[in-house]
Amino acid sequence: MTSCIALIVAAGEGERLGGPVPKQYQDLAGSPILRRSVLAFLRHGAVSGVQVVINGRHQALYDAAVAGLSLPPPVEGGVTRQDSVRLGLEAIASQKPAHVLIHDAARPLIDDATIQGVCDALKTHDAAIAAKPLVDTLKRGEGGVIAQTIDRANLWQAHTPQGFRYDSILSAHRRHAGSHFTDDAAVAEHEGLSVALIPSNPDNMKLTNPDDLDRARRLLGIGALPDLRTGFGFDVHRFVPGNSMTLCGHSFESDVSLEGHSDADAALHALTDALLGTIGAGDIGQHFPPSDLRWKGRDSAHFLRFAVDLLRQKGGAISHVDITILCEKPKIGPQRDAMTKKLCALLSIEPGRVGLKATTTERMGFTGRGEGLAVQTLVTVRLPFVEGY
Ligand code: MG
């Protein structure tokens, strides 16, 4: 496969959107704007890696926004957007990508088809950008009155991603360092490269003003999510000698431990499966095979976050989770509050939406004999209704 790295530019101050933090770190329907943008590329089959460029002062916000995602350390940007892109391009030089897709973090509604369109065009063009044909009639104003009507034929609004052959855009950026181009296509045009225009999804807007954030929320259908779904999950882990265990993301002392490839948190495994079930996204073993050494001893919160991200990427929201732990031991009651708190934090939902119960099986079966424990989970989620979805 031809390697293609997505460079996500998130170095701006983003103050026009208002709010307590720069816009790329603000929440959009349960997920930071930057995280949505990063995930769109991280999960795309045509993209081999993602590199984010940030403002060095935002490191803590960045860490929180991309928690659990497998990304290289961010690159620190420059004073202007153009500087930031150049520094990002320089930082990935050792990877020698064939292509690079440059994308504004503030366009979190980028869709798979637009990314694919730009990638496909790079097979036959030096460069290609997502762009929207202009439909409104264009007026040039002077002192509040129309001075001229401009022919809109062949006029496009430039979006991102903007894709390039890596070597050519890096040398173009080096040559024009310090100038003030407002997008990367302009840098390429200046070098005489041919840049193809690929129709962008009209929803791929740049979130700039508070109104844009409201519009994005509406597009994601938040507040009106009619597609109600339930998912079921089940998991079992065997007891082994030990002195602690982790359940629902909470570690506590216990006179037995759980055997497993990861941290053996059967509750988070069952919950992850239930969430994956609501969106037809397979099961935990398919995404994180036990044969893969990367998941050995892994905090299962990582698997859960993956499933939650997949759901939120589809505009989904978690309404409720219900968990039943079947075991003779350990006693769940003393751990319940800590477990619930941990689940609320992992799922970003309030305690009233988390049911956590335990029962014995009256000394019958494998749980009754104390060979291990089992967990059943049921989750309810809401998604935007899309016909043929
Ligand atoms: Mg398991």
Side-chain angles (χ1 to χ4, degrees):
M1 190 181 100
T2 316
S3 66
C4 173
I5 293 186
L7 194 66
I8 312 285
V9 191
E13 292 291 350
E15 286 163 341
R16 266 182 291 176
L17 207 58
V21 295
K23 70 173 169 190
Q24 59 273 39
Y25 299 106
Q26 288 191 30
D27 177 85
L28 172 59
S31 205
I33 289 170
L34 173 65
R35 189 179 185 89
R36 287 181 175 275
S37 298
V38 165
L39 279 172
F41 289 89
L42 208 52
R43 300 234 166 91
H44 199 287
V47 176
S48 44
V50 173
Q51 175 65 60
V52 185
V53 184
I54 68 165
N55 182 322
R57 292 197 303 280
H58 300 161
Q59 182 74 47
L61 290 167
Y62 172 82
D63 291 341
V66 302
L69 303 185
S70 106
L71 288 173
V75 174
E76 188 164 341
V79 177
T80 63
R81 183 189 182 282
Q82 195 182 329
D83 285 340
S84 295
V85 172
R86 180 173 45 78
L87 292 166
L89 290 170
E90 297 282 5
I92 57 174
S94 63
Q95 298 175 60
K96 298 187 171 44
H99 295 137
V100 61
L101 300 179
I102 302 170
H103 185 70
D104 289 328
R107 292 185 193 271
L109 301 185
I110 180 65
D111 62 313
D112 287 354
T114 304
I115 296 173
Q116 191 64 52
V118 172
C119 289
D120 288 346
L122 288 176
K123 291 172 189 158
T124 48
H125 292 83
D126 295 329
I129 71 165
K132 186 178 153 192
L134 205 70
V135 290
D136 297 323
T137 298
L138 215 54
K139 307 286 186 190
R140 192 171 58 74
E142 268 177 24
V145 296
I146 295 171
Q148 190 191 3
T149 296
I150 296 165
D151 182 9
R152 73 178 173 210
N154 298 318
L155 288 185
W156 297 67
Q157 288 173 284
H159 283 182
T160 68
Q162 303 195 341
F164 308 90
R165 297 208 170 111
Y166 174 72
D167 292 342
S168 58
I169 193 66
L170 175 62
S171 54
H173 262 283
R174 278 177 179 164
R175 233 182 324 274
H176 297 287
S179 39
H180 293 281
F181 293 108
T182 51
D183 73 350
D184 306 291
V187 180
E189 292 158 47
H190 214 73
E191 284 291 284
L193 300 177
S194 151
V195 186
L197 291 159
I198 305 304
S200 182
N201 185 322
D203 293 343
N204 181 23
M205 58 178 177
K206 189 170 183 175
L207 306 187
T208 308
N209 302 305
D211 286 353
D212 299 334
L213 202 55
D214 285 342
R215 202 178 137 218
R217 286 199 181 100
R218 281 199 303 278
L219 284 167
L220 287 168
I222 298 307
L225 292 173
D227 195 351
L228 205 64
R229 303 180 185 192
T230 52
F232 178 75
F234 178 72
D235 197 28
V236 168
H237 279 261
R238 188 185 290 275
F239 289 145
V240 287
N243 50 26
S244 70
M245 72 169 67
T246 303
L247 274 178
C248 300
H250 167 60
S251 300
F252 55 97
E253 282 181 15
S254 157
D255 57 5
V256 282
S257 291
L258 292 170
E259 181 182 52
H261 186 68
S262 64
D263 64 4
D265 189 332
L268 292 197
H269 295 178
L271 196 50
T272 302
D273 262 355
L275 283 167
L276 292 172
T278 63
I279 49 171
D283 66 20
I284 190 170
Q286 190 183 328
H287 297 286
F288 306 100
S291 55
D292 191 330
L293 288 176
R294 274 180 303 165
W295 316 126
K296 194 167 166 52
R298 191 74 191 244
D299 178 354
S300 296
H302 175 80
F303 311 142
L304 183 65
R305 278 198 209 99
F306 171 84
V308 171
D309 275 334
L310 271 188
L311 174 73
R312 293 201 171 127
Q313 213 41 35
K314 289 178 181 288
I318 300 166
S319 288
H320 171 250
V321 307
D322 200 17
I323 300 173
T324 301
I325 301 171
L326 297 94
C327 61
E328 297 293 331
K329 59 179 182 182
K331 288 244 172 296
I332 300 300
Q335 312 301 335
R336 191 191 314 265
D337 287 349
M339 286 177 173
T340 303
K341 205 170 157 197
K342 194 78 196 206
L343 288 167
C344 290
L346 286 169
L347 300 166
S348 307
I349 58 177
E350 39 141 357
R353 294 178 183 274
V354 177
L356 179 56
K357 293 150 291 142
T359 182
T360 70
T361 53
E362 299 288 346
R363 301 198 174 276
M364 294 181 288
F366 70 87
T367 54
R369 291 190 296 273
E371 294 167 14
L373 60 73
V375 183
Q376 295 184 334
T377 62
L378 198 65
V379 304
T380 310
V381 305
R382 294 173 300 134
L383 286 142
F385 192 83
V386 181
E387 222 162 335
Y389 196 85

